[in-house]
Amino acid sequence: MELDTGATAWMLTSASLVLLMTPGLALFYGGMVRGKSVLNMMMMSFGAIAVTGVIYVLWGWSMSYGSDIGGIIGNPFDQFALQGAIYDEAGNFLIDDFGVPGIVGVGFQATFAIITVALISGAIADRVKFGTWMVFAGLWVTFAYFPMAHMVWGGGLLSGDGPFASIAAPIDFAGGTVVHINAGAAALVLALVVGKRKGFGTEPMRPHNLTLVMLGAALLWFGWFGFNGGSAFTADGFAGLAWVNTTTATAAAVIGWLVVEKLRDGSATSLGAASGVVAGLVAITPAAGSVSPFGSIFVGVIAGVLSAYAVGLKYKLGYDDSLDVVGVHLVAGLWGTLSIGFLATETGLFYGGGVNQLAVQAIIAVVAVVFSAVVTFVLAIILKPTLGWRVSEEAEVNGIDLAVHSESAYEGIQSGSVIKEVRA
């Protein structure tokens, strides 16, 4: 295969856009927490970049796309440290079927692993040890993310080569199962194992900086064009379709969320708009290449409505999913995965395709939830008595930024007023 410079340029651009999403997530999450823990929240995203960025090169790529072991994982030693993944026997760069060097694909896929880990952190804001989080990040990406990526994209159990393909080929264009259901299920389990923040349900825990939230949402939306458009793996019509569907579904989700807020609460809020952006982006991720732009409107608006209601479940059911990872990523990810069974233009129920695609989409969604939940629970339970999850009550009350990182995001500012330095 000859090098396609246009496709290669697009994939390098897409990888860069997806990497930008994690700092964007840091801003989004950082603005949603209280001012005393904003740096810790952002550090959890940057920590995910650091840990996953190294592990992916060592064994992540091989576990995701190496030779199959039982339909669950790739052989971690097959291409350990990318041996055999960059050059052919003649010393030339390996080129994939789209004319893109394989090393570019490695970089693109690494960014997906990075943001998936970072997404989980929003469920346990304000209360966990940074060191334990870093260890968990490395373990979780190894035992939950890489196997899921292999099962769905690497020729494993949930791929087009798996046992369910005899019913209908599973569809996950850019990560409904691998990224969002995976992270959302893990977030729910961690929130339950770690426990609630002190004062949850009795004290106000409002976002301290909605400007940061809106900026973060904007960067996530911008980066998502690499996430979905890049998943076409070349610059072609599928990339264009994914781009348009991503924009349309996200816009529709914002409308859906804001309508719910207005009818339920009396006001359409900036936090609701930003959350609607993310819900729409999540839902269209698995479906971006298989639904029409018209269909994407329904994917988006239903995601916005479902997630707007789902974020309130934590108060009714008593789990502290701090920044609504479950309500947005798990719920919208499940809907987006199932929506393909209804709205896929070639195999969807509403297009005369019968129920087979819907059945397969439901199966892969359930498998993703169960697999992620079990792996996360085992890891969380092991870490709880060994390293410990919770910071001290004093650190949580006074501020995790100062207690853990010896820093404050807003030096010289307290309770909205500038503290004037008293000079002798």
Side-chain angles (χ1 to χ4, degrees):
M1 187 72 182
E2 293 185 0
L3 176 69
D4 185 328
T5 55
T8 302
W10 170 237
M11 292 309 297
L12 285 168
T13 301
S14 295
S16 301
L17 287 170
V18 180
L19 183 59
L20 178 66
M21 289 170 64
T22 301
L25 181 72
L27 291 171
F28 182 76
Y29 279 173
M32 289 177 71
V33 297
R34 291 168 289 180
K36 62 184 180 181
S37 56
V38 55
L39 292 180
N40 176 260
M41 192 71 257
M42 298 178 81
M43 281 285 286
M44 293 175 82
S45 287
F46 279 84
I49 296 175
V51 172
T52 309
V54 172
I55 289 177
Y56 199 86
V57 167
L58 293 176
W59 60 80
W61 170 260
S62 190
M63 284 187 69
S64 301
Y65 299 100
S67 55
D68 180 70
I69 300 177
I72 304 296
I73 63 169
N75 188 335
F77 305 106
D78 202 22
Q79 299 180 63
F80 184 83
L82 303 183
Q83 295 180 43
I86 304 176
Y87 306 105
D88 61 18
E89 293 180 357
N92 300 312
F93 283 103
L94 291 169
I95 306 295
D96 67 18
D97 293 340
F98 294 96
V100 177
I103 189 62
V104 176
V106 172
F108 181 67
Q109 295 297 339
T111 62
F112 279 64
I114 286 168
I115 193 166
T116 305
V117 176
L119 287 172
I120 302 169
S121 65
I124 51 175
D126 294 345
R127 59 197 187 277
V128 302
K129 296 178 180 178
F130 184 67
T132 305
W133 164 252
M134 294 289 277
V135 172
F136 172 81
L139 293 173
W140 189 88
V141 78
T142 298
F143 295 108
Y145 181 86
F146 299 149
M148 188 68 70
H150 180 77
M151 282 191 278
V152 177
W153 294 330
L157 182 68
L158 305 182
S159 72
D161 298 322
F164 305 116
S166 60
I167 304 171
I171 298 174
D172 186 354
F173 188 74
T177 52
V178 179
V179 177
H180 300 295
I181 294 176
N182 203 3
L188 177 58
V189 171
L190 268 194
L192 292 171
V193 172
V194 172
K196 305 172 187 177
R197 289 168 290 178
K198 183 175 175 58
F200 173 74
T202 60
E203 299 176 10
M205 297 181 180
R206 300 184 182 91
H208 89 283
N209 192 327
L210 288 169
T211 306
L212 284 184
V213 175
M214 296 292 279
L215 177 59
L219 288 173
L220 285 169
W221 195 341
F222 181 65
W224 226 287
F225 292 120
F227 203 88
N228 289 353
S231 292
F233 298 106
T234 189
D236 64 0
F238 276 107
L241 177 65
W243 197 104
V244 172
N245 283 343
T246 299
T247 301
T248 307
T250 306
V254 173
I255 293 173
W257 192 299
L258 293 182
V259 167
V260 169
E261 277 196 328
K262 181 64 177 176
L263 294 176
R264 181 187 61 194
D265 308 322
S267 299
T269 68
S270 60
L271 179 61
S275 301
V277 164
V278 178
L281 291 168
V282 169
I284 198 59
T285 292
S290 58
V291 304
S292 69
F294 179 69
S296 73
I297 296 174
F298 295 95
V299 174
V301 73
I302 292 173
V305 171
L306 288 176
S307 291
Y309 282 111
V311 295
L313 290 176
K314 63 185 180 184
Y315 299 108
K316 295 181 179 179
L317 301 179
Y319 62 90
D320 185 6
D321 170 26
S322 309
L323 307 183
D324 300 319
V325 185
V326 177
V328 175
H329 291 274
L330 180 57
V331 170
L334 286 169
W335 159 241
T337 299
L338 293 175
S339 73
I340 297 166
F342 295 104
L343 296 167
T345 54
E346 295 184 5
T347 57
L349 179 62
F350 295 163
Y351 287 81
V355 299
N356 284 10
Q357 189 69 63
L358 179 60
V360 168
Q361 296 303 118
I363 290 170
I364 66 172
V366 170
V367 172
V369 170
V370 173
F371 180 83
S372 180
V374 170
V375 172
T376 305
F377 180 76
V378 171
L379 295 176
I381 289 298
I382 290 172
L383 291 173
K384 190 171 185 178
T386 52
L387 297 179
W389 276 107
R390 302 290 295 246
V391 297
S392 68
E393 183 175 318
E394 181 182 6
E396 184 176 344
V397 171
N398 293 334
I400 197 169
D401 285 355
L402 283 172
V404 174
H405 304 290
S406 301
E407 296 176 301
S408 172
Y410 305 104
E411 290 291 346
I413 301 179
Q414 264 184 4
S415 302
S417 303
V418 175
I419 301 173
K420 296 182 179 179
E421 187 175 329
V422 178
R423 300 184 182 276

